[in-house]
């Protein structure tokens, strides 16, 4: 309904209107999980998250107790749908095939505790890794990092996460949060979708870079918690997350085409 001349409507009206209009206008391709996971890997590679073979991506598959992930030895920038492997709860390939990165074992602990989590991104991105080497957790200091408000912090490194003990420690530290800064390690994003986990991971690294720059400049001022919570809810809407992922996917496609020209 159109507003009367001079009528002032509250913020909630506009938040709901914007959400509705974005939902109506969004055009999102119908990717399956392997396609989406491959795109996520290439997006992260383009964002500078590559660190050799360190870091992993996983996503729940349709069959309970199975997950999609990259095979060991495959870099983010080499990801393709046909290279994705389906593994069981003991990280054994389903129906044969390549083995996954053994580091994804701690992901399984998160999936068991968090039925809301559909995908996990863990990387050793440079700025998040640098921040992880300080005693500072990730703080909400800018509107562009508000979707990360409430990020958890594991203050002590438990060692290389290839066994069950590390999974128990990391999943407990994550709690009900969607993101966590792992001391002397890197970042982890646990999303309701592959798109959301990727979105959180990309903005996590950008937020860590911003925080380190602010720290170098003399410090930072945190966003008001009430406004940060409001912004987090707004920025985590699928109406924003999904088109953002789709944009990054188009950008990756354009870069790939350009490199072949």
């Amino acid at each position: 309904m159109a507003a009367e001349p001079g009528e002032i409507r509250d913020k909630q009206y506009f938040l709901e209107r914007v959400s509705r209009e974005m939902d109506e206008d969004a055009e999102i391709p119908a990717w399956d999980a392997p396609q989406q996971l491959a795109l996520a890997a290439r997006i992260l590679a383009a964002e500078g998250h590559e660190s050799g073979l360190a870091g992993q991506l996983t996503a729940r598959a349709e069959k309970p107790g199975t997950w999609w992930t990259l095979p060991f030895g495959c870099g983010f920038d080499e990801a393709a749908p046909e290279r994705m492997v389906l593994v069981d709860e003991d990280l054994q390939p389903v129906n044969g095939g390549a083995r996954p990165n053994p580091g994804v074992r701690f992901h399984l602990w998160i999936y068991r505790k968090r039925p809301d989590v559909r995908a996990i991104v863990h990387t050793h991105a440079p700025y998040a890794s640098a921040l992880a080497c300080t005693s500072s957790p990730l703080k909400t200091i800018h509107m562009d990092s508000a979707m990360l408000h409430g990020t958890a912090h594991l203050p002590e490194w438990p060692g290389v996460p290839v066994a069950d003990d590390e999974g128990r420690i990391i999943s407990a530290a994550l709690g009900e949060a969607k993101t966590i800064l792992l001391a002397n390690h890197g970042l982890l994003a646990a999303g309701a979708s592959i798109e959301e986990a990727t979105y959180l991971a990309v903005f996590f690294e950008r937020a860590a870079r911003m925080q380190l720059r602010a720290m170098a400049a003399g410090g930072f001022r945190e966003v008001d918690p009430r406004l940060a919570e409001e912004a987090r809810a707004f920025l985590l809407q699928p109406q924003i997350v999904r088109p953002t992922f789709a944009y990054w996917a188009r950008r990756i496609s354009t870069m790939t085409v350009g490199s072949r020209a």
Side-chain angles (χ1 to χ4, degrees):
M1 189 172 76
E4 295 295 328
E7 180 183 354
I8 297 177
R9 296 187 174 179
D10 64 19
K11 191 172 185 178
Q12 188 59 36
Y13 163 79
F14 289 104
L15 289 172
E16 292 174 358
R17 173 180 166 179
V18 169
S19 297
R20 183 178 65 255
E21 291 175 348
M22 288 190 299
D23 193 36
E24 292 171 354
D25 296 341
E27 295 183 6
I28 310 298
W31 294 299
D32 62 23
Q35 290 172 325
Q36 229 174 32
L37 207 58
L39 284 169
R42 288 181 175 267
I43 288 167
L44 291 164
E47 287 285 326
H49 286 240
E50 180 275 327
S51 182
L53 298 179
Q56 314 95 27
L57 298 82
T58 57
R60 290 188 194 268
E62 289 187 11
K63 181 181 178 181
T66 61
W67 293 267
W68 289 106
T69 189
L70 280 168
F72 181 70
C74 180
F76 285 178
D77 58 337
E78 299 177 308
E82 61 273 15
R83 300 192 76 169
M84 294 299 162
V85 294
L86 187 64
V87 299
D88 63 20
E89 293 181 319
D90 193 33
L91 298 186
Q92 295 302 304
V94 176
N95 299 325
R99 295 188 185 278
N101 186 325
V104 303
R105 185 167 298 279
F106 79 95
H107 294 210
L108 305 184
W109 280 77
I110 296 172
Y111 286 121
R112 290 169 190 153
K113 287 191 172 186
R114 295 280 300 277
D116 59 305
V117 172
R118 304 294 303 174
I120 294 172
V121 170
H122 164 59
T123 72
H124 300 179
Y127 289 98
S129 295
L131 185 61
C133 294
T134 72
S135 59
S136 177
L138 186 74
K139 298 290 187 179
T140 310
I141 64 173
H142 192 278
M143 64 177 290
D144 288 350
S145 61
M147 74 287 289
L148 302 162
H149 184 63
T151 290
H153 185 216
L154 178 62
E156 298 290 337
W157 183 51
V160 179
V162 295
D164 286 332
D165 200 39
E166 294 82 21
R168 176 184 58 80
I169 293 169
I170 293 171
S171 61
L174 177 66
E176 295 303 311
K178 286 181 176 287
T179 48
I180 184 170
L181 180 66
L182 304 169
N184 308 104
H185 194 173
L187 68 87
L188 182 140
S193 64
I194 295 170
E195 296 153 311
E196 185 181 75
T198 308
Y199 174 85
L200 288 166
V202 168
F203 280 106
F204 196 124
E205 171 66 354
R206 295 180 184 181
R209 178 178 60 194
M210 187 185 306
Q211 183 167 324
L212 287 168
R213 287 174 170 172
M215 290 165 68
F220 52 79
R221 179 182 178 183
E222 293 184 57
V223 172
D224 179 284
R226 180 183 60 83
L227 296 176
E229 289 173 8
E230 179 186 85
R232 176 182 58 195
F234 181 78
L235 293 170
L236 284 178
Q237 293 179 97
Q239 298 95 318
I240 292 178
V241 173
R242 300 186 70 210
T244 302
F245 183 94
Y247 157 61
W248 289 335
R250 292 195 303 273
R251 187 176 65 179
I252 293 302
S253 177
T254 300
M255 291 168 62
T256 302
V257 170
S259 67
R260 293 174 178 172

